Amino acid sequence: MSKKSRPVGRAERAAAAMHEQQQQERRRRNLMVGGVVLALLVIIVGGYFLSRALDTSKDVQAPAAGGSKYGLTIGPDDAPHDVVIYEDFLCPYCGQLEDASRDDLARLAADGKVQVEYRPFNLLSTIGDYSERSAAVFAVVLDKSGPDVAKKLHDLLYENQPSESGPFPSDDDLIKLAVEAGADEAELKKGLAAGDGKAWVGDATQAALDAGVRGTPTVLLDGKVFQDGRTMDDLASNLVDKIG
Amino acid sequence: MATRVTGWLGLLARLVTGGVWIAAGAVKLPDPAQSVDAVRAYQLLPASLVEPVGQLLPVVEIVVGATLVLGLLTRASALVSALLFVAFIIGIASVWARGITIDCGCFGGGGYDPDAASKYPWEIARDGALLLVSLFVAWLPSTRLALDSVLFGRVPEPEGP
């Protein structure tokens, strides 16, 4: 009996040892996989924080509405809210935002609930010179004909916004829009010929970049970058809700 | 014999998809703000998710690319890669269907692009092909020159009598 059981016992012991070894191997393997997964997660979380640190789009240190030399302000100084919109007359999203927010912002400004400053600059210079030319005409009109006429031109420029792929309105077309808004044609042409507009646009663009603005439209509500919205329509209605 | 060939094909597939991920992530990583803008332009995610997704995406792309190239956790990485391609295909198809014309932002860039509609079919085809390659890698039990086989080895098979 005992003689017979010995070899069976040996085989069982061998099998048990093998089993134990396999289990150890499996444990080691699971630990390794867990360790690698953990290491990868650490890398991803670290990378995320690096990425967040590199994203400076919310670090905009801009003068409050009514406080810049390069903008058009509507609404009273003592309004409880302060909105600044950095924009480019060619940027399609600026056109969408303008379309969705103009009437409400104008109404709220008239009611004294908000002061809004529109700050056009030349962001899309790589596409062509329309951004610069349109902003230059706007600048001269603002300087010579005042904010009311400049606001009308601002609105007209967006209503007649060309596609980013052209064709682009000529200077004469832009002057025609300005005259439609109520600008004095002779004064405007004189200002443009003297290069006043382009100088203003250059300075406005530098001021925007210095403030940390890196895209358009950049909307600031009470000094903070406002991006709450899936679409420009959402953004506009959320902005209006916050103010009104 | 067949497994030997597929093992080498698996290596090739890993290098192709992994290389694409690394390139796509590396271009975006230095400018996360642009990546966030590109995600925003799809008008798909709620505003609160746009920023974390845009910032995280380049990092995840580089990590998935690196694990695929190295052959680290190969099958899981290939599955993640496949899921990302499915998400991108849905994203591009959705902007196409909604008539939104944007640069897909696949390799940096992003935002409005008037000529986008003509590029969508090719972008979807490219992502579809890379999706299939990823699934092929995930389907293979093992591939050649993978870090997995060095690190984890194999659980020893029970030996014969």
Side-chain angles (χ1 to χ4, degrees), chain A residues 172-184:
Chain A
D172 285 342
D173 296 332
L174 291 171
I175 290 169
K176 228 177 270 173
L177 280 185
V179 172
E180 191 185 328
D184 183 291

Side-chain angles (χ1 to χ4, degrees), chain A residues 63-83:
Chain A
S68 154
K69 279 188 284 178
Y70 309 106
L72 160 71
T73 306
I74 58 171
D77 284 340
D78 61 354
H81 288 291
D82 174 313
V83 168

Side-chain angles (χ1 to χ4, degrees), chain A residues 26-38, chain B residues 73 150-152:
Chain A
R26 218 169 273 139
R27 267 200 295 274
R28 186 192 71 90
R29 203 172 170 228
N30 288 344
L31 269 177
M32 290 278 284
V33 171
V36 170
V37 170
L38 197 67
Chain B
L73 303 179
V150 180
L151 281 180
F152 310 123

Side-chain angles (χ1 to χ4, degrees), chain B residues 5-143:
Chain B
V5 174
T6 52
W8 287 110
L9 276 178
L11 171 64
L12 184 68
R14 264 172 42 211
L15 294 179
V16 170
T17 40
V20 170
W21 281 128
I22 291 174
V27 171
K28 288 177 216 157
L29 192 63
D31 193 357
Q34 190 181 49
S35 172
V36 171
D37 285 343
V39 172
R40 182 172 291 116
Y42 281 83
Q43 301 180 11
L44 267 177
L45 296 176
S48 56
L49 276 182
V50 165
E51 214 175 71
V53 168
Q55 290 164 346
L56 198 52
L57 205 54
V59 180
V60 170
E61 287 178 347
I62 289 176
V63 169
V64 167
T67 52
L68 279 172
V69 166
L70 294 172
L72 188 61
L73 303 179
T74 309
R75 303 188 78 172
S77 303
L79 268 182
V80 173
S81 161
L83 284 175
L84 284 172
F85 281 122
V86 168
F88 289 176
I89 290 169
I90 291 174
I92 296 170
S94 123
V95 285
W96 193 9
R98 284 179 290 160
I100 300 173
T101 48
I102 55 166
D103 180 322
C104 74
C106 308
F107 297 92
Y112 185 81
D113 174 3
D115 309 321
S118 59
K119 297 178 193 158
Y120 290 145
W122 138 249
E123 284 161 2
I124 290 178
R126 180 198 58 204
D127 286 0
L130 289 166
L131 166 65
L132 290 178
V133 176
S134 303
L135 288 175
F136 173 65
V137 176
W139 172 71
L140 289 176
S142 67
T143 56

Side-chain angles (χ1 to χ4, degrees), chain A residues 1-10:
Chain A
M1 180 88 176
S2 65
K3 268 184 188 171
K4 266 190 180 173
S5 73
R6 217 170 266 147
V8 173
R10 240 201 322 267

